[in-house]
Amino acid sequence: EGTIFPKSIWLRPLAKFQHLNFSIAACFKGGKMIGGLAFTWKKKFGVFPIIQIPLKTPFFGPVFMSSNTRYRSKIESQLHTAMNALNDFIFSRYQHFIASFSPATTDIRPYSWNGFETRIRYTYVGELNSNIQLQENFDSDIRRRIKKAQELDHEVIMDNSDTYINHAWELEQQSFKRQHFQQSGFTKQQFLSFIKTFSGEGSSMVFTMIHEGAPIASVVTVHEKTRGIAYYWQAGASKDYLS
């Protein structure tokens, strides 16, 4: 599936921050791993074990080894074998399981066959070759807003230092409070530690917009270096600026 979200480097610290358990299940065939599931879980009411998607995790679910064969039937056979084995594992130990697959997932039939409720959604995947090519795909209203924003006397800084990570956290808290949403599940120190883990590996970037010397908006992205895919993960904007 090629995203960073099923990896233990992502899920393990989130499990710690949100008081969830973290486990890994793997499926083997002939001594070779063909599929696996890193997941977070808890006991509901202290009794019923359920697999739960942690906050800030857009994609959650099993991953599978690619097959070298060119025959579609053999590819599907190996995929379904691993899916069914992991489904048996889930059914035998957990009362509830929700997954949110990445756009690379193309076959969820074994889940339907095993009694899971399935829903098909979609997202957009685009090539970020250049700003000009990207903007050509936007409608006229979006292009007008971009042009207006470019004419404003604002400064955008890409900086992963503690100061700008803290700005991102504080601006998100303002956004939650303004919209009467529940506050983020992170403390400031947890958020700082988490983002620094990825920024230290070159897998995260923090963009901050500055107006009259003050931070007014922030975006945090997480990206998978091997595939060059970036995920918009968090954003916030100051109440005074939006009003």
PDB file of all heavy atoms in Angstrom, residues 77-110:
ATOM      1  N   SER A  77      -5.080 -14.989  -5.625  1.00  0.00           N
ATOM      2  CA  SER A  77      -5.084 -16.133  -4.714  1.00  0.00           C
ATOM      3  C   SER A  77      -4.221 -15.859  -3.489  1.00  0.00           C
ATOM      4  O   SER A  77      -4.634 -16.118  -2.345  1.00  0.00           O
ATOM      5  CB  SER A  77      -4.584 -17.381  -5.447  1.00  0.00           C
ATOM      6  OG  SER A  77      -4.503 -18.479  -4.560  1.00  0.00           O
ATOM      7  N   GLN A  78      -3.021 -15.322  -3.698  1.00  0.00           N
ATOM      8  CA  GLN A  78      -2.137 -15.018  -2.572  1.00  0.00           C
ATOM      9  C   GLN A  78      -2.730 -13.919  -1.705  1.00  0.00           C
ATOM     10  O   GLN A  78      -2.685 -13.992  -0.472  1.00  0.00           O
ATOM     11  CB  GLN A  78      -0.757 -14.589  -3.070  1.00  0.00           C
ATOM     12  CG  GLN A  78       0.184 -14.160  -1.937  1.00  0.00           C
ATOM     13  CD  GLN A  78       1.595 -13.874  -2.418  1.00  0.00           C
ATOM     14  OE1 GLN A  78       2.256 -14.754  -2.962  1.00  0.00           O
ATOM     15  NE2 GLN A  78       2.049 -12.633  -2.240  1.00  0.00           N
ATOM     16  N   LEU A  79      -3.298 -12.895  -2.339  1.00  0.00           N
ATOM     17  CA  LEU A  79      -3.906 -11.794  -1.600  1.00  0.00           C
ATOM     18  C   LEU A  79      -5.057 -12.284  -0.745  1.00  0.00           C
ATOM     19  O   LEU A  79      -5.162 -11.952   0.441  1.00  0.00           O
ATOM     20  CB  LEU A  79      -4.374 -10.710  -2.571  1.00  0.00           C
ATOM     21  CG  LEU A  79      -5.081  -9.494  -1.973  1.00  0.00           C
ATOM     22  CD1 LEU A  79      -4.130  -8.718  -1.079  1.00  0.00           C
ATOM     23  CD2 LEU A  79      -5.620  -8.597  -3.075  1.00  0.00           C
ATOM     24  N   HIS A  80      -5.942 -13.098  -1.338  1.00  0.00           N
ATOM     25  CA  HIS A  80      -7.106 -13.588  -0.606  1.00  0.00           C
ATOM     26  C   HIS A  80      -6.698 -14.543   0.511  1.00  0.00           C
ATOM     27  O   HIS A  80      -7.340 -14.566   1.577  1.00  0.00           O
ATOM     28  CB  HIS A  80      -8.078 -14.269  -1.561  1.00  0.00           C
ATOM     29  CG  HIS A  80      -8.739 -13.322  -2.502  1.00  0.00           C
ATOM     30  ND1 HIS A  80      -9.654 -13.717  -3.461  1.00  0.00           N
ATOM     31  CD2 HIS A  80      -8.635 -11.964  -2.635  1.00  0.00           C
ATOM     32  CE1 HIS A  80     -10.069 -12.663  -4.142  1.00  0.00           C
ATOM     33  NE2 HIS A  80      -9.463 -11.587  -3.652  1.00  0.00           N
ATOM     34  N   THR A  81      -5.648 -15.341   0.297  1.00  0.00           N
ATOM     35  CA  THR A  81      -5.157 -16.224   1.351  1.00  0.00           C
ATOM     36  C   THR A  81      -4.738 -15.425   2.571  1.00  0.00           C
ATOM     37  O   THR A  81      -5.088 -15.760   3.715  1.00  0.00           O
ATOM     38  CB  THR A  81      -3.966 -17.059   0.843  1.00  0.00           C
ATOM     39  OG1 THR A  81      -4.409 -17.920  -0.204  1.00  0.00           O
ATOM     40  CG2 THR A  81      -3.371 -17.901   1.965  1.00  0.00           C
ATOM     41  N   ALA A  82      -3.968 -14.366   2.345  1.00  0.00           N
ATOM     42  CA  ALA A  82      -3.510 -13.533   3.454  1.00  0.00           C
ATOM     43  C   ALA A  82      -4.672 -12.801   4.107  1.00  0.00           C
ATOM     44  O   ALA A  82      -4.758 -12.716   5.347  1.00  0.00           O
ATOM     45  CB  ALA A  82      -2.465 -12.539   2.953  1.00  0.00           C
ATOM     46  N   MET A  83      -5.584 -12.256   3.301  1.00  0.00           N
ATOM     47  CA  MET A  83      -6.741 -11.551   3.851  1.00  0.00           C
ATOM     48  C   MET A  83      -7.577 -12.467   4.734  1.00  0.00           C
ATOM     49  O   MET A  83      -7.987 -12.095   5.851  1.00  0.00           O
ATOM     50  CB  MET A  83      -7.607 -11.001   2.716  1.00  0.00           C
ATOM     51  CG  MET A  83      -7.124  -9.705   2.106  1.00  0.00           C
ATOM     52  SD  MET A  83      -8.350  -9.076   0.930  1.00  0.00           S
ATOM     53  CE  MET A  83      -7.615  -7.510   0.490  1.00  0.00           C
ATOM     54  N   ASN A  84      -7.855 -13.677   4.241  1.00  0.00           N
ATOM     55  CA  ASN A  84      -8.693 -14.602   4.998  1.00  0.00           C
ATOM     56  C   ASN A  84      -8.025 -15.034   6.301  1.00  0.00           C
ATOM     57  O   ASN A  84      -8.687 -15.174   7.336  1.00  0.00           O
ATOM     58  CB  ASN A  84      -9.015 -15.830   4.146  1.00  0.00           C
ATOM     59  CG  ASN A  84     -10.002 -15.514   3.027  1.00  0.00           C
ATOM     60  OD1 ASN A  84     -10.883 -14.666   3.198  1.00  0.00           O
ATOM     61  ND2 ASN A  84      -9.862 -16.172   1.897  1.00  0.00           N
ATOM     62  N   ALA A  85      -6.699 -15.225   6.258  1.00  0.00           N
ATOM     63  CA  ALA A  85      -5.985 -15.607   7.482  1.00  0.00           C
ATOM     64  C   ALA A  85      -6.059 -14.495   8.517  1.00  0.00           C
ATOM     65  O   ALA A  85      -6.285 -14.749   9.715  1.00  0.00           O
ATOM     66  CB  ALA A  85      -4.539 -15.938   7.144  1.00  0.00           C
ATOM     67  N   LEU A  86      -5.873 -13.256   8.074  1.00  0.00           N
ATOM     68  CA  LEU A  86      -5.946 -12.124   9.005  1.00  0.00           C
ATOM     69  C   LEU A  86      -7.377 -11.922   9.498  1.00  0.00           C
ATOM     70  O   LEU A  86      -7.597 -11.559  10.666  1.00  0.00           O
ATOM     71  CB  LEU A  86      -5.417 -10.862   8.328  1.00  0.00           C
ATOM     72  CG  LEU A  86      -3.909 -10.839   8.074  1.00  0.00           C
ATOM     73  CD1 LEU A  86      -3.514  -9.643   7.223  1.00  0.00           C
ATOM     74  CD2 LEU A  86      -3.123 -10.827   9.382  1.00  0.00           C
ATOM     75  N   ASN A  87      -8.360 -12.146   8.629  1.00  0.00           N
ATOM     76  CA  ASN A  87      -9.757 -12.049   9.056  1.00  0.00           C
ATOM     77  C   ASN A  87     -10.068 -13.081  10.135  1.00  0.00           C
ATOM     78  O   ASN A  87     -10.771 -12.791  11.120  1.00  0.00           O
ATOM     79  CB  ASN A  87     -10.693 -12.240   7.865  1.00  0.00           C
ATOM     80  CG  ASN A  87     -10.745 -11.024   6.961  1.00  0.00           C
ATOM     81  OD1 ASN A  87     -10.412  -9.920   7.386  1.00  0.00           O
ATOM     82  ND2 ASN A  87     -11.153 -11.215   5.719  1.00  0.00           N
ATOM     83  N   ASP A  88      -9.570 -14.320   9.952  1.00  0.00           N
ATOM     84  CA  ASP A  88      -9.777 -15.355  10.971  1.00  0.00           C
ATOM     85  C   ASP A  88      -9.155 -14.941  12.300  1.00  0.00           C
ATOM     86  O   ASP A  88      -9.742 -15.162  13.370  1.00  0.00           O
ATOM     87  CB  ASP A  88      -9.168 -16.681  10.500  1.00  0.00           C
ATOM     88  CG  ASP A  88      -9.936 -17.310   9.341  1.00  0.00           C
ATOM     89  OD1 ASP A  88     -11.105 -16.916   9.133  1.00  0.00           O
ATOM     90  OD2 ASP A  88      -9.364 -18.172   8.661  1.00  0.00           O
ATOM     91  N   PHE A  89      -7.981 -14.349  12.230  1.00  0.00           N
ATOM     92  CA  PHE A  89      -7.319 -13.868  13.439  1.00  0.00           C
ATOM     93  C   PHE A  89      -8.167 -12.804  14.137  1.00  0.00           C
ATOM     94  O   PHE A  89      -8.369 -12.840  15.355  1.00  0.00           O
ATOM     95  CB  PHE A  89      -5.943 -13.310  13.083  1.00  0.00           C
ATOM     96  CG  PHE A  89      -5.315 -12.473  14.157  1.00  0.00           C
ATOM     97  CD1 PHE A  89      -4.658 -13.069  15.225  1.00  0.00           C
ATOM     98  CD2 PHE A  89      -5.392 -11.089  14.121  1.00  0.00           C
ATOM     99  CE1 PHE A  89      -4.087 -12.305  16.228  1.00  0.00           C
ATOM    100  CE2 PHE A  89      -4.826 -10.316  15.115  1.00  0.00           C
ATOM    101  CZ  PHE A  89      -4.168 -10.924  16.176  1.00  0.00           C
ATOM    102  N   ILE A  90      -8.670 -11.844  13.364  1.00  0.00           N
ATOM    103  CA  ILE A  90      -9.478 -10.757  13.932  1.00  0.00           C
ATOM    104  C   ILE A  90     -10.748 -11.307  14.568  1.00  0.00           C
ATOM    105  O   ILE A  90     -11.116 -10.956  15.702  1.00  0.00           O
ATOM    106  CB  ILE A  90      -9.819  -9.716  12.842  1.00  0.00           C
ATOM    107  CG1 ILE A  90      -8.546  -8.988  12.401  1.00  0.00           C
ATOM    108  CG2 ILE A  90     -10.856  -8.721  13.353  1.00  0.00           C
ATOM    109  CD1 ILE A  90      -8.730  -8.154  11.150  1.00  0.00           C
ATOM    110  N   PHE A  91     -11.443 -12.196  13.840  1.00  0.00           N
ATOM    111  CA  PHE A  91     -12.701 -12.749  14.341  1.00  0.00           C
ATOM    112  C   PHE A  91     -12.498 -13.533  15.632  1.00  0.00           C
ATOM    113  O   PHE A  91     -13.378 -13.550  16.508  1.00  0.00           O
ATOM    114  CB  PHE A  91     -13.335 -13.679  13.292  1.00  0.00           C
ATOM    115  CG  PHE A  91     -14.209 -12.968  12.302  1.00  0.00           C
ATOM    116  CD1 PHE A  91     -14.005 -13.138  10.940  1.00  0.00           C
ATOM    117  CD2 PHE A  91     -15.239 -12.141  12.723  1.00  0.00           C
ATOM    118  CE1 PHE A  91     -14.811 -12.488  10.020  1.00  0.00           C
ATOM    119  CE2 PHE A  91     -16.049 -11.489  11.807  1.00  0.00           C
ATOM    120  CZ  PHE A  91     -15.833 -11.666  10.448  1.00  0.00           C
ATOM    121  N   SER A  92     -11.362 -14.197  15.763  1.00  0.00           N
ATOM    122  CA  SER A  92     -11.143 -15.066  16.917  1.00  0.00           C
ATOM    123  C   SER A  92     -10.776 -14.297  18.180  1.00  0.00           C
ATOM    124  O   SER A  92     -10.865 -14.859  19.280  1.00  0.00           O
ATOM    125  CB  SER A  92     -10.033 -16.084  16.605  1.00  0.00           C
ATOM    126  OG  SER A  92      -8.771 -15.430  16.459  1.00  0.00           O
ATOM    127  N   ARG A  93     -10.382 -13.024  18.049  1.00  0.00           N
ATOM    128  CA  ARG A  93      -9.859 -12.310  19.215  1.00  0.00           C
ATOM    129  C   ARG A  93     -10.542 -10.977  19.513  1.00  0.00           C
ATOM    130  O   ARG A  93     -10.440 -10.485  20.640  1.00  0.00           O
ATOM    131  CB  ARG A  93      -8.354 -12.059  19.022  1.00  0.00           C
ATOM    132  CG  ARG A  93      -7.515 -13.326  19.098  1.00  0.00           C
ATOM    133  CD  ARG A  93      -6.092 -13.040  18.636  1.00  0.00           C
ATOM    134  NE  ARG A  93      -5.202 -14.187  18.848  1.00  0.00           N
ATOM    135  CZ  ARG A  93      -5.143 -15.227  18.035  1.00  0.00           C
ATOM    136  NH1 ARG A  93      -5.926 -15.265  16.954  1.00  0.00           N
ATOM    137  NH2 ARG A  93      -4.325 -16.234  18.301  1.00  0.00           N
ATOM    138  N   TYR A  94     -11.217 -10.384  18.525  1.00  0.00           N
ATOM    139  CA  TYR A  94     -11.721  -9.028  18.721  1.00  0.00           C
ATOM    140  C   TYR A  94     -13.202  -8.940  18.372  1.00  0.00           C
ATOM    141  O   TYR A  94     -13.695  -9.626  17.479  1.00  0.00           O
ATOM    142  CB  TYR A  94     -10.906  -8.032  17.880  1.00  0.00           C
ATOM    143  CG  TYR A  94      -9.449  -8.010  18.293  1.00  0.00           C
ATOM    144  CD1 TYR A  94      -8.506  -8.813  17.650  1.00  0.00           C
ATOM    145  CD2 TYR A  94      -9.033  -7.216  19.357  1.00  0.00           C
ATOM    146  CE1 TYR A  94      -7.178  -8.812  18.049  1.00  0.00           C
ATOM    147  CE2 TYR A  94      -7.707  -7.215  19.767  1.00  0.00           C
ATOM    148  CZ  TYR A  94      -6.779  -8.020  19.113  1.00  0.00           C
ATOM    149  OH  TYR A  94      -5.480  -8.030  19.523  1.00  0.00           O
ATOM    150  N   GLN A  95     -13.877  -8.068  19.106  1.00  0.00           N
ATOM    151  CA  GLN A  95     -15.315  -7.914  18.941  1.00  0.00           C
ATOM    152  C   GLN A  95     -15.679  -6.902  17.852  1.00  0.00           C
ATOM    153  O   GLN A  95     -16.791  -6.928  17.344  1.00  0.00           O
ATOM    154  CB  GLN A  95     -15.926  -7.449  20.270  1.00  0.00           C
ATOM    155  CG  GLN A  95     -15.694  -8.390  21.426  1.00  0.00           C
ATOM    156  CD  GLN A  95     -16.429  -9.700  21.251  1.00  0.00           C
ATOM    157  OE1 GLN A  95     -17.580  -9.714  20.826  1.00  0.00           O
ATOM    158  NE2 GLN A  95     -15.766 -10.797  21.559  1.00  0.00           N
ATOM    159  N   HIS A  96     -14.737  -6.026  17.513  1.00  0.00           N
ATOM    160  CA  HIS A  96     -15.068  -4.950  16.569  1.00  0.00           C
ATOM    161  C   HIS A  96     -13.796  -4.523  15.843  1.00  0.00           C
ATOM    162  O   HIS A  96     -12.718  -4.460  16.432  1.00  0.00           O
ATOM    163  CB  HIS A  96     -15.652  -3.753  17.336  1.00  0.00           C
ATOM    164  CG  HIS A  96     -16.223  -2.685  16.463  1.00  0.00           C
ATOM    165  ND1 HIS A  96     -17.352  -2.865  15.696  1.00  0.00           N
ATOM    166  CD2 HIS A  96     -15.821  -1.408  16.231  1.00  0.00           C
ATOM    167  CE1 HIS A  96     -17.618  -1.747  15.034  1.00  0.00           C
ATOM    168  NE2 HIS A  96     -16.700  -0.850  15.337  1.00  0.00           N
ATOM    169  N   PHE A  97     -13.936  -4.258  14.547  1.00  0.00           N
ATOM    170  CA  PHE A  97     -12.776  -3.875  13.738  1.00  0.00           C
ATOM    171  C   PHE A  97     -13.228  -2.905  12.657  1.00  0.00           C
ATOM    172  O   PHE A  97     -14.151  -3.186  11.890  1.00  0.00           O
ATOM    173  CB  PHE A  97     -12.143  -5.117  13.106  1.00  0.00           C
ATOM    174  CG  PHE A  97     -11.062  -4.815  12.091  1.00  0.00           C
ATOM    175  CD1 PHE A  97      -9.983  -4.017  12.426  1.00  0.00           C
ATOM    176  CD2 PHE A  97     -11.136  -5.327  10.799  1.00  0.00           C
ATOM    177  CE1 PHE A  97      -8.983  -3.738  11.503  1.00  0.00           C
ATOM    178  CE2 PHE A  97     -10.147  -5.060   9.869  1.00  0.00           C
ATOM    179  CZ  PHE A  97      -9.070  -4.271  10.219  1.00  0.00           C
ATOM    180  N   ILE A  98     -12.598  -1.743  12.607  1.00  0.00           N
ATOM    181  CA  ILE A  98     -12.850  -0.767  11.555  1.00  0.00           C
ATOM    182  C   ILE A  98     -11.530  -0.486  10.854  1.00  0.00           C
ATOM    183  O   ILE A  98     -10.508  -0.259  11.502  1.00  0.00           O
ATOM    184  CB  ILE A  98     -13.427   0.548  12.108  1.00  0.00           C
ATOM    185  CG1 ILE A  98     -14.795   0.306  12.758  1.00  0.00           C
ATOM    186  CG2 ILE A  98     -13.554   1.595  10.998  1.00  0.00           C
ATOM    187  CD1 ILE A  98     -15.401   1.555  13.361  1.00  0.00           C
ATOM    188  N   ALA A  99     -11.535  -0.507   9.528  1.00  0.00           N
ATOM    189  CA  ALA A  99     -10.342  -0.198   8.746  1.00  0.00           C
ATOM    190  C   ALA A  99     -10.669   0.903   7.754  1.00  0.00           C
ATOM    191  O   ALA A  99     -11.828   1.112   7.384  1.00  0.00           O
ATOM    192  CB  ALA A  99      -9.834  -1.438   8.006  1.00  0.00           C
ATOM    193  N   SER A 100      -9.651   1.620   7.356  1.00  0.00           N
ATOM    194  CA  SER A 100      -9.788   2.659   6.333  1.00  0.00           C
ATOM    195  C   SER A 100      -8.616   2.481   5.376  1.00  0.00           C
ATOM    196  O   SER A 100      -7.493   2.893   5.671  1.00  0.00           O
ATOM    197  CB  SER A 100      -9.772   4.051   6.972  1.00  0.00           C
ATOM    198  OG  SER A 100      -9.869   5.064   5.986  1.00  0.00           O
ATOM    199  N   PHE A 101      -8.868   1.835   4.245  1.00  0.00           N
ATOM    200  CA  PHE A 101      -7.792   1.440   3.348  1.00  0.00           C
ATOM    201  C   PHE A 101      -7.282   2.611   2.518  1.00  0.00           C
ATOM    202  O   PHE A 101      -8.007   3.566   2.227  1.00  0.00           O
ATOM    203  CB  PHE A 101      -8.257   0.321   2.413  1.00  0.00           C
ATOM    204  CG  PHE A 101      -8.646  -0.932   3.130  1.00  0.00           C
ATOM    205  CD1 PHE A 101      -9.857  -1.550   2.879  1.00  0.00           C
ATOM    206  CD2 PHE A 101      -7.814  -1.496   4.077  1.00  0.00           C
ATOM    207  CE1 PHE A 101     -10.218  -2.697   3.541  1.00  0.00           C
ATOM    208  CE2 PHE A 101      -8.163  -2.652   4.754  1.00  0.00           C
ATOM    209  CZ  PHE A 101      -9.375  -3.259   4.476  1.00  0.00           C
ATOM    210  N   SER A 102      -6.033   2.503   2.096  1.00  0.00           N
ATOM    211  CA  SER A 102      -5.430   3.525   1.249  1.00  0.00           C
ATOM    212  C   SER A 102      -5.996   3.420  -0.167  1.00  0.00           C
ATOM    213  O   SER A 102      -6.577   2.386  -0.548  1.00  0.00           O
ATOM    214  CB  SER A 102      -3.907   3.348   1.209  1.00  0.00           C
ATOM    215  OG  SER A 102      -3.571   2.265   0.351  1.00  0.00           O
ATOM    216  N   PRO A 103      -5.821   4.466  -0.996  1.00  0.00           N
ATOM    217  CA  PRO A 103      -6.324   4.410  -2.385  1.00  0.00           C
ATOM    218  C   PRO A 103      -5.694   3.291  -3.212  1.00  0.00           C
ATOM    219  O   PRO A 103      -6.245   2.914  -4.246  1.00  0.00           O
ATOM    220  CB  PRO A 103      -5.933   5.786  -2.949  1.00  0.00           C
ATOM    221  CG  PRO A 103      -5.831   6.666  -1.756  1.00  0.00           C
ATOM    222  CD  PRO A 103      -5.299   5.799  -0.655  1.00  0.00           C
ATOM    223  N   ALA A 104      -4.553   2.749  -2.757  1.00  0.00           N
ATOM    224  CA  ALA A 104      -3.896   1.677  -3.516  1.00  0.00           C
ATOM    225  C   ALA A 104      -4.623   0.347  -3.379  1.00  0.00           C
ATOM    226  O   ALA A 104      -4.385  -0.571  -4.168  1.00  0.00           O
ATOM    227  CB  ALA A 104      -2.452   1.523  -3.047  1.00  0.00           C
ATOM    228  N   THR A 105      -5.517   0.213  -2.391  1.00  0.00           N
ATOM    229  CA  THR A 105      -6.247  -1.038  -2.195  1.00  0.00           C
ATOM    230  C   THR A 105      -7.310  -1.187  -3.284  1.00  0.00           C
ATOM    231  O   THR A 105      -8.143  -0.312  -3.462  1.00  0.00           O
ATOM    232  CB  THR A 105      -6.909  -1.073  -0.810  1.00  0.00           C
ATOM    233  OG1 THR A 105      -5.897  -0.900   0.185  1.00  0.00           O
ATOM    234  CG2 THR A 105      -7.628  -2.379  -0.583  1.00  0.00           C
ATOM    235  N   THR A 106      -7.277  -2.299  -3.992  1.00  0.00           N
ATOM    236  CA  THR A 106      -8.195  -2.495  -5.127  1.00  0.00           C
ATOM    237  C   THR A 106      -9.163  -3.646  -4.942  1.00  0.00           C
ATOM    238  O   THR A 106     -10.077  -3.814  -5.749  1.00  0.00           O
ATOM    239  CB  THR A 106      -7.395  -2.739  -6.423  1.00  0.00           C
ATOM    240  OG1 THR A 106      -6.562  -3.894  -6.248  1.00  0.00           O
ATOM    241  CG2 THR A 106      -6.524  -1.526  -6.758  1.00  0.00           C
ATOM    242  N   ASP A 107      -9.009  -4.455  -3.889  1.00  0.00           N
ATOM    243  CA  ASP A 107      -9.863  -5.635  -3.738  1.00  0.00           C
ATOM    244  C   ASP A 107     -10.201  -5.825  -2.263  1.00  0.00           C
ATOM    245  O   ASP A 107      -9.335  -6.121  -1.448  1.00  0.00           O
ATOM    246  CB  ASP A 107      -9.143  -6.879  -4.277  1.00  0.00           C
ATOM    247  CG  ASP A 107     -10.060  -8.088  -4.378  1.00  0.00           C
ATOM    248  OD1 ASP A 107     -11.199  -8.029  -3.864  1.00  0.00           O
ATOM    249  OD2 ASP A 107      -9.640  -9.105  -4.973  1.00  0.00           O
ATOM    250  N   ILE A 108     -11.471  -5.647  -1.921  1.00  0.00           N
ATOM    251  CA  ILE A 108     -11.912  -5.853  -0.537  1.00  0.00           C
ATOM    252  C   ILE A 108     -12.966  -6.950  -0.452  1.00  0.00           C
ATOM    253  O   ILE A 108     -13.638  -7.089   0.569  1.00  0.00           O
ATOM    254  CB  ILE A 108     -12.466  -4.541   0.067  1.00  0.00           C
ATOM    255  CG1 ILE A 108     -13.678  -4.051  -0.724  1.00  0.00           C
ATOM    256  CG2 ILE A 108     -11.384  -3.473   0.148  1.00  0.00           C
ATOM    257  CD1 ILE A 108     -14.398  -2.895  -0.049  1.00  0.00           C
ATOM    258  N   ARG A 109     -13.082  -7.756  -1.503  1.00  0.00           N
ATOM    259  CA  ARG A 109     -14.127  -8.781  -1.528  1.00  0.00           C
ATOM    260  C   ARG A 109     -14.055  -9.756  -0.355  1.00  0.00           C
ATOM    261  O   ARG A 109     -15.101 -10.104   0.209  1.00  0.00           O
ATOM    262  CB  ARG A 109     -14.075  -9.544  -2.849  1.00  0.00           C
ATOM    263  CG  ARG A 109     -14.549  -8.720  -4.038  1.00  0.00           C
ATOM    264  CD  ARG A 109     -14.375  -9.490  -5.328  1.00  0.00           C
ATOM    265  NE  ARG A 109     -12.960  -9.726  -5.622  1.00  0.00           N
ATOM    266  CZ  ARG A 109     -12.531 -10.512  -6.607  1.00  0.00           C
ATOM    267  NH1 ARG A 109     -13.399 -11.154  -7.376  1.00  0.00           N
ATOM    268  NH2 ARG A 109     -11.229 -10.656  -6.812  1.00  0.00           N
ATOM    269  N   PRO A 110     -12.859 -10.224   0.058  1.00  0.00           N
ATOM    270  CA  PRO A 110     -12.836 -11.154   1.190  1.00  0.00           C
ATOM    271  C   PRO A 110     -13.473 -10.605   2.458  1.00  0.00           C
ATOM    272  O   PRO A 110     -14.005 -11.368   3.274  1.00  0.00           O
ATOM    273  CB  PRO A 110     -11.336 -11.420   1.394  1.00  0.00           C
ATOM    274  CG  PRO A 110     -10.752 -11.257   0.028  1.00  0.00           C
ATOM    275  CD  PRO A 110     -11.517 -10.107  -0.563  1.00  0.00           C
TER     276      PRO A 110
END
